[in-house]
Amino acid sequence: MAKRIQFSAHGGPEVLEFVDFQPAEPGPLEVRVRNEAIGLNYIDTYFRSGLYPLPSLPSGLGTEASGVVEAVGDQVTAFKVGDRVAHAGGPLGAYSQVHVVPAAVLVKLPDSVSFEQAAAVMLKGLTVQYLFRQTYQLQAGDTILFHAAAGGVGLIACQWAKALGVKLIGTVSSPEKAARAKAAGAWEVIDYSHEDVAKRVLELTDGKKCPVVYDGVGKDTWEVSLDCVAPRGLLVSFGNASGAVSGVNLGILSAKGSLYVTRPTLATYAVPAALQGMADELFEMIASGKIDVEISQRYPLSEAAKAQTALSGRQTMGSTILLP
């Protein structure tokens, strides 16, 4: 037997239960991993609340973890028992001591990256990789806007942008978070609690605005994000931290300068053929010191509800991990 977090009804963090379960044997193309560390992400709250649909209830939760392979299916050739691995995809259930996942979502973890670093960075780091290197290929000298720059994704984005020679303007909600974003490599920060974001972007870009704006907040920042995109520029709406964007009038894109909008997901970019290469680029950024993985909060797996409450209440900075 092992322990995991599951929920039987949608709702707030209070629906999460810490229960015993019997880990399954891996199927022909699956791997069973004993988790050493587990990542906490906003997408977990979307599944818990019902924003994102589930196949059935009760359900496990979580898509990101790192650990050691303890069993492999008879058709798996890329991994063996004892391998250090990590993943940021696959079936829900990473909030667990033991998790069975498809081999196709796993990557090999080099010794230069710890289990805690991997669990804290896989989803967030691969997200920044596809945002900066694939959705829009940033070039040195670009000036971009990135919302929630002191969050888990944001702090990685600040560091990666600096490494690329990109001027990242980050939005934050407090002086403390502004200092964190600046320390991580943000070129400038805007405290939206008392500053007009669109006006400041105009000032910082000499009226040109940004060729690309990255928005993981969603509903609350949708309109201001559009106001910060240069004509024929791109708004990348990649998250719903404040709720989903809905009721969009496409005419607003023409009115604001023939803008482009995309709503990407990691799953579309991190296909099996590309996944290890994306992860290797991320791991090299960590090993070289260009990205420092900041783990600001650690919770026992049994306190997953408490961890999610802190995350949703914007009481966290950097990454949060659960320890089984």
Side-chain angles (χ1 to χ4, degrees):
M1 298 293 285
K3 291 282 192 179
R4 75 168 187 167
I5 294 290
Q6 71 175 35
F7 60 109
S8 300
H10 294 299
E14 70 279 357
V15 303
L16 300 182
E17 303 170 305
F18 190 50
V19 301
D20 293 312
F21 82 110
Q22 181 61 52
E25 292 298 319
L29 296 174
E30 294 179 327
V31 173
R32 192 172 71 222
V33 179
R34 179 158 294 277
N35 289 334
E36 296 288 340
I38 300 155
L40 181 80
N41 298 284
Y42 267 108
I43 193 172
D44 304 339
T45 70
Y46 303 158
F47 284 111
R48 186 208 69 220
S49 69
L51 178 62
Y52 284 4
L54 290 168
S56 62
L57 289 170
S59 173
L61 192 61
T63 61
E64 177 183 45
S66 62
V68 177
V69 173
E70 67 172 27
V72 298
D74 58 17
Q75 295 181 31
V76 173
T77 58
F79 301 97
K80 65 183 185 302
V81 173
D83 280 348
R84 303 174 79 249
V85 293
H87 69 92
L92 295 180
Y95 283 23
S96 177
Q97 293 175 335
V98 179
H99 189 31
V100 175
V101 296
V105 307
L106 284 175
V107 297
K108 290 185 177 180
L109 183 64
D111 291 338
S112 57
V113 179
S114 73
F115 289 119
E116 289 197 359
Q117 286 177 315
V121 81
M122 278 292 290
L123 184 60
K124 302 173 185 68
L126 290 178
T127 295
V128 176
Q129 197 281 340
Y130 87 75
L131 290 175
F132 283 8
R133 308 291 283 163
Q134 299 183 69
T135 303
Y136 186 98
Q137 294 188 9
L138 291 176
Q139 303 295 323
D142 285 343
T143 301
I144 67 173
L145 180 68
F146 202 102
H147 287 293
V153 175
L155 289 173
I156 295 171
C158 289
Q159 295 175 79
W160 208 315
K162 183 178 181 180
L164 293 173
V166 169
K167 296 179 178 180
L168 183 147
I169 303 169
T171 68
V172 297
S173 61
S174 70
E176 183 183 8
K177 290 188 175 184
R180 287 228 176 179
K182 285 284 283 186
W187 175 61
E188 291 287 352
V189 291
I190 302 171
D191 186 340
Y192 62 80
S193 67
H194 66 269
E195 293 183 278
D196 184 315
V197 173
K199 181 179 179 181
R200 283 291 290 137
V201 167
L202 273 177
E203 294 170 352
L204 291 168
T205 60
D206 296 324
K208 297 176 182 178
K209 302 185 182 181
C210 300
V212 59
V213 170
Y214 294 99
D215 188 343
V217 177
K219 181 177 65 175
D220 289 354
T221 50
W222 167 252
E223 292 189 11
V224 72
S225 291
L226 290 172
D227 287 335
C228 295
V229 182
R232 297 172 62 183
L234 175 66
L235 170 56
V236 183
S237 178
F238 68 95
N240 311 299
S242 67
V245 176
S246 60
V248 176
N249 175 8
L250 289 179
I252 197 171
L253 302 179
S254 62
K256 292 184 180 293
S258 299
L259 307 184
Y260 294 87
V261 175
T262 184
R263 180 60 176 88
T265 66
L266 176 61
T268 308
Y269 286 87
V271 295
L275 179 58
Q276 187 69 56
M278 292 171 62
D280 287 344
E281 184 175 4
L282 171 63
F283 296 152
E284 174 56 31
M285 294 288 283
I286 297 169
S288 67
K290 293 177 181 177
I291 289 179
D292 176 37
V293 182
E294 179 183 2
I295 303 172
S296 300
Q297 299 83 210
R298 292 173 174 83
Y299 291 86
L301 178 59
S302 59
E303 295 183 6
K306 183 178 178 180
Q308 287 199 359
T309 298
L311 181 70
S312 298
R314 301 193 182 186
Q315 298 166 7
T316 64
M317 286 188 286
S319 296
T320 302
I321 59 172
L322 305 174
L323 298 175

